[in-house]
Amino acid sequence: YYRVLGLADNAEDVVIRATFKLLAHRHHPDKCLENPKIANQLMAQINESYNTLSDASLKAAYDNKRGAYTANSDFYRALGVLDNVDTLIIHAAYKALTKKYQQLPNLPLSEERLIEIHQAHQTLTDPTRRKAYDMQQRASSYLFRSNQGSNLSLWKIYLFYNVIFYIFI
């Protein structure tokens, strides 16, 4: 269900609703006249996903059944979206979250959350910044991931090389 809507498992209710509205508008069978059968199937998936994720008890049961998913990066998790979504879904999530947190009383946490949401939006909507961010995230996850069968990682090799270099030079 999360993948159908392009959301991470930590997506807030306002993001779920905004994404559903955007996808329902985009994929409505009345708009996709060239292949109504596929449009109907896609709308059925979108509706089923939204009905499950928008109801707190159904969402909790679904989450318990499927297990936890962790998104690759902090900016995607800040907006509650997956790392393969398009810019329109990122805009919808940003608008919904901004509206929600601006309506809260002036709490330090809501101000911090707004700053985090704004930074994520700026980075993920600019194609060059998003590409650089994705590359940075992939590189950092690769550096700290251990190799199969050994406890050696690129980060440990780098540290070992630096220690050896400074000892002998």
Side-chain angles (χ1 to χ4, degrees):
Y1 293 140
Y2 289 105
R3 216 173 301 136
V4 169
L5 296 178
L7 301 173
D9 63 344
N10 68 327
E12 297 183 28
D13 56 344
V14 292
V15 175
I16 293 170
R17 181 168 167 66
T19 304
F20 166 72
K21 289 170 84 175
L22 177 78
L23 291 175
H25 182 72
R26 183 188 295 173
H27 298 291
H28 196 275
D30 291 341
K31 290 199 172 222
C32 301
L33 299 175
E34 58 268 354
N35 201 339
K37 184 177 179 181
I38 292 176
N40 282 329
Q41 290 173 346
L42 188 56
M43 267 313 289
Q45 289 177 344
I46 292 170
N47 284 328
E48 182 180 356
S49 299
Y50 176 70
N51 289 336
T52 301
L53 297 179
S54 63
D55 184 345
S57 60
L58 291 176
K59 182 180 181 197
Y62 177 71
D63 288 343
N64 287 338
K65 186 175 96 174
R66 73 183 268 281
Y69 168 82
T70 55
N72 292 335
S73 68
D74 294 333
F75 281 164
Y76 292 105
R77 286 195 66 78
L79 294 175
V81 298
L82 294 178
D83 56 1
N84 62 348
V85 297
D86 63 4
T87 307
L88 291 176
I89 292 178
I90 291 171
H91 280 303
Y94 170 73
K95 284 176 153 179
L97 288 171
T98 303
K99 183 177 179 182
K100 175 183 178 179
Y101 284 101
Q102 284 176 344
Q103 291 175 353
L104 293 176
N106 287 336
L107 300 173
L109 293 177
S110 65
E111 290 177 13
E112 289 176 16
R113 183 79 170 109
L114 277 171
I115 292 170
E116 179 186 29
I117 291 165
H118 183 67
Q119 289 173 340
H121 179 258
Q122 282 185 325
T123 301
L124 298 179
T125 54
D126 180 9
T128 54
R129 290 174 73 184
R130 183 176 180 176
K131 187 174 182 178
Y133 179 76
D134 289 342
M135 288 174 53
Q136 174 192 5
Q137 291 301 105
R138 266 187 243 114
S140 65
S141 70
Y142 182 75
L143 276 176
F144 292 103
R145 190 179 338 140
S146 294
N147 293 332
Q148 299 287 11
S150 72
N151 200 11
L152 211 53
S153 69
L154 289 176
W155 182 245
K156 289 178 183 177
I157 293 170
Y158 174 75
L159 288 175
F160 179 74
Y161 172 77
N162 280 333
V163 168
I164 297 299
F165 180 78
Y166 287 112
I167 289 174
F168 291 110
I169 294 183

